[in-house]
């Protein structure tokens, strides 16, 4: 208790004297940065867990890029579960004057089994529970689509070959996902109207979903029954793993924001190290006097340790409160993007704030305290004796190791953490080297300078060489953060725009059927536009590499797993496309051989090399060919490109659609509406 009272007394005195102001502010910024991110992402994650079944639209969801087996629905009905299906794809919705890309959602009776669907009679009205789905001949539009098409309830839009009456405005869908479909304006129709649209054609990308709801025991039995029967491209989602794309996106965002906040922690660590050094130098005499009055090193260490531990704890709690307030402001600003009330966060971010505070104190303050309490009593009489020299190397190594451990923990990924630590270490080394060179140049300038103020100022910087270098490195890190956050993004976008040719394609036409090729070419001719090259496209799934089955679970990289699961757009050609360059092997040309030309990036991702044999499954049939060439593509050209291009004849007879891209000058905007009207 005596030591505690002394620690509290010294803490009050040091705070009044401003000895700990810089250290406290630096620590506060670090804690606020991390806890605000932690609180916000924790609320999002809790909201995701709370609303999992609403996000699924049921208690269990099976989704696929191809029609699902009818046995899934039959088994669910046998178990007494409710079943409904939805289909998602993109298409053009149009009126006589306007056409707009839209995300079509086809729903069956009973949708949604869980969650909410709200509609309104006109724009500006508050939504109410729909209680039903669109009737036959009806279309429910999102506000953005109504605005783009310039329609209102009662008007008629064209979707494919069908003409549908706009009867309501969709204001909320609880199962709206985090994918491309969720960013495109939505139109919702009844499943009974889908055949009349004629929109599901060869080459169409459709997401099929079956939603189940009912007794939890029956849901568990159905889940166990379906799981071993899942084929390639089929996914099973339950409340436990609801919306993996949202969870993965949230995890990435959380990790990125924490690493961004880590930059504030790094700068705070430097400030804490410098201010603790200053504290050491200013308290050497006082510590020596206490040693003269019989204070032992252990007692002094206990006094100072408790003082800084109390300071760190108070700042951690204060920073947590400010971090909570900051995330509340962020949540308010993001309320238009997060269409739900977020639950209160847990206490985990507070624990993280306390841990960060203690690690920074331990790594950057405690080494200084150990040096402080070793000051000899003779220091009280002879100041030139017993001065605790800075000893920067050992002290800063301890702090750097503590900071590296903190980075690895925050990154939550060993490889990513190593990259971040290595990046910071390399940046600090480069900045320190540059700072040393600059200070060396300053020393020469000082000798040549006639201004005494400048001369003595430069001399002071050179005399405190280690301190000057550390401060310059800290300033460089701060400037690097500003450049990263404000300039790099703009510079990348500007560079990308400059790389675009003025006539780079800005329109894409897909799902062109073989019998539509000639009419479409005549359409372009009639409109005075050069007819673009129509490229054939066949959809196939990669099933074997060198006769070994492709297993997505065998890939560690998430992108590789996704590519292994998806269907590829395959094509064939005898002429090498513009923007393609052969980097290995030989282009097949006109030869009718079982060969493929492969884009080099996909080969590196999936582990396919020149000379390997790849097998694709197309409509239940398999086709194989050797990789005879590897191409490098100019993806920024905005032209149509393919990962795999076959030799002529290899894909003959398979279901084919065509795709093209072209440049449309702004003066020809009416061409798109006319095209959609001619080829709905």
């Amino acid at each position: 208790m005596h030591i505690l009272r002394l620690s509290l007394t010294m803490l009050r005195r040091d705070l009044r004297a401003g000895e700990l102001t810089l250290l406290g502010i630096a620590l506060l910024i670090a804690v606020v940065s991390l806890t605000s991110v932690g609180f916000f992402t924790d609320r999002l994650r809790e909201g995701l867990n709370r609303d999992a079944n609403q996000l699924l639209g049921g208690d269990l969801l099976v989704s696929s890029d191809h029609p699902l087996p009818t046995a899934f629905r039959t088994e669910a009905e046998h178990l007494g579960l409710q079943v409904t299906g939805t289909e998602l794809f993109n298409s053009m919705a149009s009126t006589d004057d306007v056409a707009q890309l839209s995300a079509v959602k086809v729903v069956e009776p009973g949708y949604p089994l869980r969650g909410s669907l709200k509609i309104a009679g006109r724009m500006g009205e508050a939504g109410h529970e729909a209680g039903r789905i669109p009737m036959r001949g009806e279309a429910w539009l999102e506000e953005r689509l109504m605005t783009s098409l310039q329609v209102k309830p009662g008007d008629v839009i064209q979707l494919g070959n069908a003409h549908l009456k706009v009867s309501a405005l969709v204001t909320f869908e609880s199962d709206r996902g985090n994918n491309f479909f969720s960013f495109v304006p939505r139109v919702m129709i009844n499943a009974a109207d889908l055949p009349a649209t004629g929109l599901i054609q060869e080459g169409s990308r459709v997401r099929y979903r079956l939603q189940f709801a009912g007794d939890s025991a029956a849901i568990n039995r159905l889940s166990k029954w379906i799981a071993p029967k899942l084929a390639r491209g089929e996914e099973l989602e339950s409340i436990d793993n609801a919306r993996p794309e949202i969870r993965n996106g949230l995890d990435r965002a959380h990790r990125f924001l924490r690493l961004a906040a880590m930059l504030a922690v790094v700068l705070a660590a430097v400030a804490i190290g410098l201010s603790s050094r200053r504290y050491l130098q200013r308290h050497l005499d006082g510590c020596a006097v206490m040693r003269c009055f019989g204070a032992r090193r252990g007692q002094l260490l206990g006094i100072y340790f408790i003082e800084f531990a109390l300071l760190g704890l108070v700042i951690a709690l204060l920073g947590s409160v400010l971090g909570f307030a900051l995330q509340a402001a962020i949540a308010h600003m993001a309320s238009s993007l997060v269409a739900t009330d977020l639950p209160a966060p847990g206490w985990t971010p507070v624990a993280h704030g306390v841990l960060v505070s203690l690690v920074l104190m331990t790594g950057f303050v405690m080494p200084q305290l150990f040096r402080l309490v070793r000051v000899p009593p003779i220091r009280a009489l002879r100041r030139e004796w017993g001065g605790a020299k800075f000893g920067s190397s050992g002290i800063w190594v301890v702090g750097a190791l503590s900071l590296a451990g903190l980075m690895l923990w925050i990154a939550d990924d060993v490889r990513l953490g190593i990259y971040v630590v290595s990046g910071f270490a390399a940046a600090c080394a480069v900045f320190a080297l540059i700072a040393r060179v600059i200070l060396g140049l300053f020393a020469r300038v000082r000798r040549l300078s006639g201004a005494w103020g400048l001369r003595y100022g430069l001399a002071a910087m050179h005399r405190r060489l280690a301190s000057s270098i550390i401060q310059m490195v800290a300033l460089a890190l701060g400037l690097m953060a500003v450049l990263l956050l404000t300039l790099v993004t703009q510079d990348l976008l500007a560079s990308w725009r400059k790389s675009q040719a003025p006539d780079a394609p800005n329109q894409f036409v897909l799902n062109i059927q073989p019998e539509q090729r000639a009419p479409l070419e005549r359409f372009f001719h009639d409109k005075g536009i050069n007819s673009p090259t129509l490229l054939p496209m066949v959809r196939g799934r990669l099933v074997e590499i060198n006769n070994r089955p492709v297993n997505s679970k065998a890939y560690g990289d998430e992108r590789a797993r996704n590519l292994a699961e998806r269907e590829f757009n395959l094509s064939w050609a005898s002429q090498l496309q513009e923007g393609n360059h052969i980097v290995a092997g030989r282009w097949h040309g006109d030869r009718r051989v079982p060969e493929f030309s492969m884009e080099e990036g996909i080969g590196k991702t999936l582990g396919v090399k020149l000379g390997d044999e790849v097998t694709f499954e197309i409509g239940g049939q398999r086709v194989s060919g050797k990789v005879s060439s590897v191409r490098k593509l100019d993806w920024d050209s905005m032209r149509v490109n393919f990962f795999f291009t076959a030799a002529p004849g290899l894909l003959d007879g398979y279901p084919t659609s065509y795709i093209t891209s072209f440049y449309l000058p702004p003066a020809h905007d009416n061409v798109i509406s006319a095209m959609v009207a001619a080829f709905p």
Side-chain angles (χ1 to χ4, degrees), residues 388-405:
K389 296 182 179 179
F390 186 35
S392 60
S393 56
I395 291 173
W396 286 98
V397 165
V398 174
L401 292 175
S402 303
L403 200 57

Side-chain angles (χ1 to χ4, degrees), residues 307-384:
E307 176 184 359
F308 280 93
L310 289 173
L311 177 66
L313 181 61
V314 171
I315 289 179
L317 297 177
L318 178 60
S320 297
V321 172
L322 293 177
F324 182 84
L326 181 59
Q327 68 79 29
I330 295 173
H332 177 72
M333 289 187 290
S335 58
S336 61
L337 302 176
V338 184
T340 184
D341 293 327
L342 295 176
W347 290 96
T348 305
V350 177
H352 290 170
V354 173
L355 180 61
V356 168
S357 178
L358 293 178
V359 168
L360 291 178
M361 283 291 191
T362 303
F364 290 91
V365 176
M366 286 305 296
Q368 301 282 12
L369 296 184
F370 279 115
R371 298 186 64 81
L372 178 62
V373 299
R374 288 205 299 269
V375 63
I378 191 65
R379 165 83 184 188
L381 299 176
R382 301 290 298 274
R383 289 196 172 185
E384 68 272 18

